[in-house]
């Protein structure tokens, strides 16, 4: 199966020529993680001397150093070096799901013209760290023809009903909001046609700077006029959940400074907060950890699959169930902060699942 990966590539252009950031960014990322240029050079497959030459060349290009060396304390990024690494992270967080979807479309178009293509399994899912990790597992499977598209809860359900996908991955909150959210979801599902596959749970809350300097303790902190918020995009499942939480707490959205500012993914919201462009945002705990933020827990969600019962015994679905219930995938999920495997791969009827969860 032909795999396509599309990445965002950015250049700086001087008076003489364009300069690609790809290599120097890999060096800066590794310095940030390890504090040593030697490790960065090894990771990039180059000599220590060549790595230093690149750092010096780019420092000269900007007219400002990118790293600092301290005797006995290793190598550290300057403010400019840190800003470049953050800019790459923010760019990938914003564009990653969209570029992934475009790559999937191209893969499927090419596959339609190639011989001996294995059976396709189409998954439409709300974007998240666990589903992305599952995509990596499935894509590495020999003979697997995976078409994974990221979209909102409602769009995923609409795709499932229109038979535009085999599985829809959606999320529902625990607690008082569960009954209403489950009822909204259940009205889309005919119990005689669909079933539920368990997958994972994830922790949702507020991203705050390390040490929580503004003492943000929950949703009511957001009406403080000195605290700025960054929201998720309208139509996303996370935005809908946040609006339901505000209604439950009787908080008017127009009282929240920055409520109209949006980012398209959990990671992009976290990146926004990490660079001081907002004081807080709402999303999954894993995104907070990725951008070195603290996390204020608000609610837990179930993230699970819906599919047609008549495809449960198909080879692609059987293999998916084997993967998500297996040791390797469980181990991978355990590395994602705030995520936990929950009845992974276990099949339940729609009636049983919603009876248990309402």
């Amino acid at each position: 199966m032909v795999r396509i990966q599309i990445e965002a590539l950015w250049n700086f252009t001087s008076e003489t020529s364009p300069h690609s950031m790809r290599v120097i960014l890999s060096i800066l990322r590794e310095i940030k993680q390890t504090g040593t240029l030697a490790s960065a050079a090894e990771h990039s497959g180059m000599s220590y001397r060549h790595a230093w030459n690149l750092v010096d060349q780019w420092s000269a290009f900007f007219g400002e150093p990118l790293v600092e060396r301290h005797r006995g304390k290793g190598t550290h990024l300057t403010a400019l070096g840190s800003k470049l690494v953050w800019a790459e992270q923010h760019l990938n967080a914003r564009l990653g799901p969209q570029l992934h979807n475009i790559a999937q479309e191209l893969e499927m178009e090419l596959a339609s013209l190639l011989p001996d293509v294995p059976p396709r399994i189409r998954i439409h899912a709300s974007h998240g760290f666990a589903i992305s990790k599952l995509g990596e597992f499935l894509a590495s499977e020999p003979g697997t023809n995976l078409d994974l598209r990221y979209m909102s809860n409602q769009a995923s359900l609409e795709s499932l009903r229109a038979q535009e996908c085999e599985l829809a991955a959606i999320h529902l909150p625990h607690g008082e909001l569960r009954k209403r959210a489950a009822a909204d979801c259940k009205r889309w599902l005919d119990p005689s046609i669909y079933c539920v596959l368990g997958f994972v749970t994830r922790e949702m809350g507020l991203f705050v700077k390390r040490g929580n300097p503004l003492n943000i303790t929950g949703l009511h902190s957001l009406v403080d006029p000195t605290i700025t918020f960054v929201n998720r995009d309208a139509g996303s499942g996370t935005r809908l959940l946040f609006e339901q939480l505000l209604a439950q707490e009787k908080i008017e959205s127009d009282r929240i400074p920055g409520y109209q500012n949006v980012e398209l993914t959990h990671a992009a919201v976290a990146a926004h907060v990490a660079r001081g462009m907002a004081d807080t945002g709402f999303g999954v705990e894993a995104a907070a950890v990725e951008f070195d933020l603290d996390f204020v827990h608000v609610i837990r969600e179930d993230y699970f699959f819906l599919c047609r019962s008549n495809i449960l015994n198909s080879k692609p679905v059987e293999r998916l169930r084997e993967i998500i219930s297996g040791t390797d995938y469980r181990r991978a999920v355990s590395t994602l902060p705030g995520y936990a495997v929950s009845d992974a791969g276990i099949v339940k009827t729609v009636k049983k699942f919603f009876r248990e969860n309402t």
Side-chain angles (χ1 to χ4, degrees):
M1 176 64 192
V2 175
R3 303 292 183 194
I4 297 175
Q5 184 175 1
I6 302 175
E7 298 177 351
L9 177 64
W10 48 303
N11 300 325
F12 279 96
T13 303
S14 67
E15 292 81 1
T16 55
S17 63
H19 295 260
S20 171
M21 294 294 296
R22 184 184 297 276
V23 177
I24 190 63
L25 283 171
S26 69
I27 293 174
L28 296 180
R29 282 197 308 269
E30 193 68 18
I31 290 174
K32 181 179 180 181
Q33 292 177 0
T34 66
T36 70
L37 182 67
S39 175
E42 181 180 358
H43 183 265
S44 299
M46 63 182 66
S47 69
Y48 180 86
R49 182 175 181 179
H50 183 44
W52 261 125
N53 284 338
L54 281 174
V55 171
D56 287 341
Q57 289 171 17
W58 274 98
S59 295
F61 174 80
F62 285 112
E64 186 74 21
L66 299 180
V67 302
E68 297 173 336
R69 284 179 285 185
H70 301 281
R71 187 178 297 276
K73 296 183 179 180
T75 305
H76 304 280
L77 301 183
T78 63
L80 177 59
S82 295
K83 188 73 170 183
L84 290 172
V85 171
W86 168 82
E88 183 197 30
Q89 291 177 310
H90 201 184
L91 182 67
N92 290 333
R94 278 181 164 177
L95 299 181
Q98 298 173 62
L99 295 179
H100 171 89
N101 284 351
I102 294 171
Q104 290 285 270
E105 291 173 9
L106 292 174
E107 278 187 16
M108 294 306 109
E109 289 181 17
L110 289 177
S112 67
L113 303 174
L114 298 176
D116 303 321
V117 175
R120 176 175 60 172
I121 179 169
R122 299 169 298 177
I123 302 175
H124 289 181
S126 171
H127 185 263
F129 288 75
I131 193 69
S132 178
K133 184 68 68 176
L134 176 60
E136 294 173 14
F137 271 73
L138 289 170
S140 66
E141 284 280 303
T144 299
N145 184 3
L146 173 66
D147 182 2
L148 170 61
R149 311 285 179 96
Y150 295 124
M151 56 187 68
S152 69
N153 268 6
Q154 182 169 330
S156 296
L157 285 170
E158 290 172 352
S159 293
L160 183 66
R161 289 188 64 186
Q163 299 191 50
E164 295 172 353
C165 66
E166 280 69 55
L167 295 104
I170 66 172
H171 49 98
L172 290 178
H174 288 202
E176 295 178 20
L177 292 177
R178 182 69 169 211
K179 186 173 183 179
R180 174 183 169 184
D184 289 342
C185 179
K186 188 178 178 181
R187 66 187 175 84
W188 289 82
L189 303 172
D190 184 337
S192 66
I193 297 176
Y194 302 101
C195 62
V196 175
L197 294 182
F199 189 32
V200 297
T201 61
R202 62 185 193 180
E203 303 297 326
M204 304 289 291
L206 297 171
F207 307 148
V208 297
K209 288 290 185 67
R210 280 289 181 187
N212 196 4
L214 297 178
N215 193 31
I216 296 171
T217 58
L219 299 182
H220 283 282
S221 299
L222 303 182
V223 300
D224 185 329
T226 67
I227 293 174
T228 57
F229 180 75
V230 57
N231 212 342
R232 277 294 303 277
D233 50 309
S236 68
T238 298
R239 172 69 170 262
L240 176 60
L241 171 62
F242 185 70
E243 291 172 347
Q244 291 171 341
L245 287 166
L246 292 182
Q248 179 179 261
E249 297 296 323
K250 296 180 172 57
I251 299 172
E252 296 177 1
S253 62
D254 59 7
R255 296 182 60 201
I256 300 176
Y259 189 84
Q260 72 281 1
N261 298 326
V262 300
E263 289 283 5
L264 300 180
T265 67
H266 296 282
V269 170
H272 200 101
V273 175
R275 293 311 300 180
M277 299 164 71
D279 298 311
T280 187
F282 182 73
V284 295
E285 183 177 358
V289 174
E290 180 178 356
F291 285 88
D292 196 31
L293 297 169
D294 280 347
F295 181 76
V296 178
H297 171 81
V298 173
I299 198 167
R300 178 176 297 165
E301 286 188 320
D302 284 326
Y303 190 112
F304 57 94
F305 293 106
L306 295 164
C307 73
R308 293 176 178 270
S309 302
N310 61 4
I311 68 164
L312 282 174
N313 295 325
S314 66
K315 288 185 178 180
V317 175
E318 285 185 343
R319 183 56 187 143
L320 178 143
R321 292 176 59 195
E322 290 173 358
I323 289 173
I324 63 178
S325 61
T327 301
D328 290 343
Y329 185 73
R330 287 174 178 268
R331 187 179 298 117
V333 170
S334 71
T335 68
L336 301 175
Y339 279 86
V341 170
S342 178
D343 293 338
I346 294 177
V347 179
K348 296 182 180 181
T349 65
V350 168
K351 286 183 178 180
K352 178 177 176 59
F353 178 80
F354 285 101
R355 185 169 63 246
E356 291 176 348
N357 290 280
T358 55

